[in-house]
Amino acid sequence: MSDHALRLLRELPHLAELAAFPFNFDLARADHGEAVRLASGGPLEAVAGDDTGGTYFVCGDGSVLYADSEGSAGIIGDSVDAALEVLVGLPGWHDHLGLAPADGEEKIRAAVAETEEEIREYHGIDDERTELRAGLGLPERSPVELVGLLHAALLRTEPDFLLLNAEEGGAHALLDRHPRPPLWESVLARGRTDLTLLREGSAWDEVAGDRARRALALRAAQFDRREGDLPLLRHLLRHEAEASMTDELRLAAVLVGLHGQAEDLPLLYEVRETDFDTWCGLGGMPEPGADPAELRSWARGLDDSLFGTDPADEPLFTWTGLAHEQGLVELARAALIRRLDDIDFRAYCDARDGKAMERRDASQLSSLVHEFEQLGDSFQALRAQRLYVPLQTRAWDRVSALLRLARLEREEGRFGAAIRTLTSLRDTLAEPDGGNGDGDSSLGHWQRTNLGAYIVEEHYAVARTAATDTALADEVRAVTVAAGELLARLSGTAKANVERHLAGTTDIRTDTRTDIHADTDADPGAGVSAEPTPPQPSAG
């Protein structure tokens, strides 16, 4: 990493003028015009711009990120010095974003020569290039070397340097269109290595005893199945049972069951009986003494419906969850943001065309909210929840979604928005069918459920945190009054629990589990207490 050239440009005006023209790295154009930030939250400093509205940013590790005026961005060098080597050596570098070393020297030299001849028709670049290189101490490299440097830099853009619109949260497109490996390939790399170790008879306890490594090894075994893997699969299955019910436990049981060995039935039965969750999650499994063919049939059925042998068929959330588990947080975040952007764009197109947003996105949005919260990214979780709310047609689901939205808005410091969301929530409580007369009775017993308790607690939480904003004094008073009125409507047990929480702490209790669901075929209030319930697993 070096900023030697940038210091010289700031100190020597004649060099800065050369960099600005003809090489379009202008220190006076460092205002990008819109607020942007890295998805990772890393530092970002605008240092120069060009005459097309593009901006050059220096990131925390010294890498230079270029963002154009059309919503694309990419790394063009691992330092300002390296970026200037490209800009000075390839003055038409925008035209060469599609080139790669694999194109060969002849094609690269011909493309660069053609672009430079076009530039020379309007102004000189050769003497200027020699002077600027000498003044900045930049080495003279061939076009082939420079294209190689640019190509390698561009491929580093994602995930660590994903650029977002700071206000709306959408990601910039990649500056280039070079193919990248699929998410699953990056995530699965460690699992494949560990699977090889297991097959060699080494690191059995190290891999099996580490939750992240064990899960990845099982996924690697899912897509590379071998007859001799049964002993190591049994070993991984025993250890995975310690984590209770997981997708990987079901996978391990399936991979063992596919071998159709009668001696595995007692082990599988023991795993199924680990606890209530495993008993439910592995339902239908043949018991000891069953015909091995029955075991194989059970395993094939689950394999066909849930797993298979192509990693590209796995849901996105499988890979983002595994990425997060092994510490590849930015890889997971980037993939989730890209998926959310796709849904957001479809919603925009639907709204533009006067169509309602498709309900098929509802489950994905719910999973996105959950995954972003797991990453600690409440900003993106809030984006997803805003899209999720309008898709809820049932009053109970609508209130639940609004409650979660209010919490996310509060956590992001958007107190005015949270207050407005709680107003909408109370409107739905007052008129569940929205005035349509459709007889929606799903909220009939909200006063004696977890949902009712959470509603009251969130009102008090918003009132307390928003009290720091004096401009919202009237709104805060209204929320406080509403909280008291809602508290008075709760049933005895629910009311007592909320009052105990409020009295027993100096801060309002804020539970993250505010997306409460009820059985659509049952009375949502029947038999439900106001005591907090364990969080449910992600829909993804």
Side-chain angles (χ1 to χ4, degrees):
M1 184 178 74
S2 171
D3 62 355
H4 173 72
L6 183 59
R7 290 201 307 272
L8 288 177
L9 292 179
R10 287 171 170 169
E11 294 169 0
L12 303 173
H14 72 285
L15 291 181
E17 290 174 7
L18 266 181
F21 183 82
F23 301 105
N24 226 351
F25 185 85
D26 191 345
L27 299 182
R29 294 180 181 267
D31 181 8
H32 188 56
E34 68 174 9
V36 293
R37 66 177 179 86
L38 293 178
S40 66
L44 197 66
E45 178 192 4
V47 296
D50 62 23
D51 60 10
T52 68
T55 307
Y56 298 93
F57 297 91
V58 176
C59 305
D61 70 342
S63 296
V64 176
L65 180 73
Y66 175 78
D68 65 22
S69 59
E70 304 299 318
S72 298
I75 294 292
I76 61 169
D78 60 11
S79 67
V80 176
D81 290 11
L84 282 168
E85 282 189 49
V86 171
L87 302 186
V88 176
L90 299 173
W93 68 275
H94 288 276
D95 295 336
H96 308 318
L97 291 171
L99 290 175
D103 291 319
E105 181 174 350
E106 183 178 353
K107 180 178 179 179
I108 290 172
R109 287 187 178 276
V112 171
E114 180 181 357
T115 298
E116 292 195 354
E117 280 305 310
E118 293 174 357
I119 294 173
R120 291 186 184 97
E121 293 179 9
Y122 299 96
H123 54 76
I125 55 173
D126 298 305
D127 293 342
E128 293 83 354
R129 177 157 49 199
T130 299
E131 182 180 356
L132 189 56
R133 274 176 169 163
L136 297 179
L138 301 177
E140 183 175 347
R141 299 185 189 273
S142 71
V144 177
E145 288 180 278
L146 292 171
V147 165
L149 289 173
L150 177 60
H151 177 72
L154 289 167
L155 292 180
R156 291 199 305 114
T157 303
E158 204 165 302
D160 293 325
F161 304 100
L162 182 64
L163 190 66
L164 306 181
N165 178 292
E167 192 155 324
E168 298 175 359
H172 283 54
L174 290 171
L175 194 62
D176 68 282
R177 296 296 179 265
H178 294 299
R180 266 76 168 175
L183 174 64
W184 61 262
E185 189 171 303
S186 301
V187 174
L188 206 54
R190 178 65 184 272
R192 287 171 163 167
T193 299
D194 279 343
L195 181 59
T196 298
L197 292 175
L198 292 170
R199 284 170 172 166
E200 292 172 351
S202 59
W204 272 43
D205 290 335
E206 291 89 338
V207 174
D210 184 303
R211 166 74 184 105
R213 293 180 68 179
R214 182 172 68 242
L216 286 169
L218 282 166
R219 289 294 175 175
Q222 175 186 349
F223 306 116
D224 180 15
R225 304 181 183 191
R226 298 187 186 178
E227 192 64 32
D229 284 348
L230 184 55
L232 68 88
L233 291 173
R234 290 167 175 158
H235 187 66
L236 294 175
L237 173 63
R238 290 188 180 96
H239 280 77
E240 188 62 23
E242 298 172 4
S244 190
M245 192 60 231
T246 64
D247 287 341
E248 283 70 40
L249 180 66
R250 187 180 287 111
L251 171 61
V254 166
L255 293 176
V256 169
L258 286 172
H259 287 267
Q261 299 296 313
E263 58 265 36
D264 288 321
L265 284 166
L267 168 62
L268 290 167
Y269 182 76
E270 178 186 342
V271 167
R272 191 189 73 175
E273 297 297 305
T274 300
D275 55 37
F276 180 72
D277 289 337
T278 56
W279 185 83
C280 294
L282 297 175
M285 177 189 293
E287 298 190 3
D291 190 318
E294 187 180 346
L295 171 61
R296 189 178 291 110
S297 175
W298 171 83
R300 282 175 179 166
L302 283 180
D303 190 30
D304 290 344
S305 62
L306 297 176
F307 299 111
T309 58
D310 187 348
D313 291 338
E314 284 290 325
L316 169 71
F317 303 110
T318 295
W319 302 119
T320 55
L322 291 170
H324 186 200
E325 279 195 42
Q326 60 178 309
L328 301 176
V329 173
E330 296 313 316
L331 189 65
R333 191 196 314 274
L336 293 168
I337 290 174
R338 292 293 187 194
R339 177 62 59 86
L340 177 55
D341 284 352
D342 289 344
I343 296 174
D344 201 357
F345 181 70
R346 288 201 299 273
Y348 164 78
C349 292
D350 288 342
R352 179 197 59 195
D353 298 338
K355 298 190 299 184
M357 187 176 171
E358 295 187 25
R359 285 195 53 79
R360 65 186 173 89
D361 290 324
S363 62
Q364 284 205 55
L365 285 168
S366 179
S367 294
L368 283 166
V369 174
H370 174 82
E371 294 298 319
F372 280 126
E373 290 204 87
Q374 292 294 104
L375 295 177
D377 195 335
S378 59
F379 180 82
Q380 295 293 344
L382 176 55
R383 279 186 67 204
Q385 188 68 11
R386 282 175 175 161
L387 291 170
Y388 179 75
V389 169
L391 296 176
Q392 308 313 303
T393 56
R394 188 166 170 264
W396 177 279
D397 298 332
R398 201 157 58 245
V399 165
S400 175
L402 287 167
L403 181 58
R404 193 175 201 176
L405 178 62
R407 174 178 59 78
L408 290 167
E409 289 168 335
R410 170 174 56 80
E411 291 175 351
E412 278 292 300
R414 303 181 185 219
F415 303 133
I419 289 171
R420 290 190 293 273
T421 296
L422 290 179
T423 300
S424 296
L425 185 156
R426 294 194 303 276
D427 290 344
T428 305
L429 289 177
E431 199 168 15
D433 61 6
N436 297 322
D438 59 6
D440 188 334
S441 60
S442 59
L443 285 170
H445 302 280
W446 67 267
Q447 299 93 332
R448 56 187 180 92
T449 66
N450 291 333
L451 180 61
Y454 293 145
I455 288 171
V456 174
E457 290 176 4
E458 187 59 36
H459 275 72
Y460 280 117
V462 169
R464 174 163 298 198
T465 52
T468 59
D469 188 341
T470 56
L472 294 173
D474 291 341
E475 289 86 347
V476 169
R477 280 192 291 270
V479 169
T480 305
V481 170
E485 293 173 347
L486 291 168
L487 178 61
R489 296 176 64 186
L490 293 183
S491 69
T493 301
K495 182 178 180 182
N497 285 338
V498 173
E499 288 175 337
R500 184 174 64 252
H501 291 142
L502 296 177
T505 179
T506 57
D507 193 9
I508 299 298
R509 175 180 175 273
T510 56
D511 197 301
T512 60
R513 302 181 297 275
T514 54
D515 199 4
I516 312 301
H517 297 282
D519 187 337
T520 56
D521 297 323
D523 180 347
V528 182
S529 75
E531 292 295 338
T533 54
Q536 298 300 308
S538 163

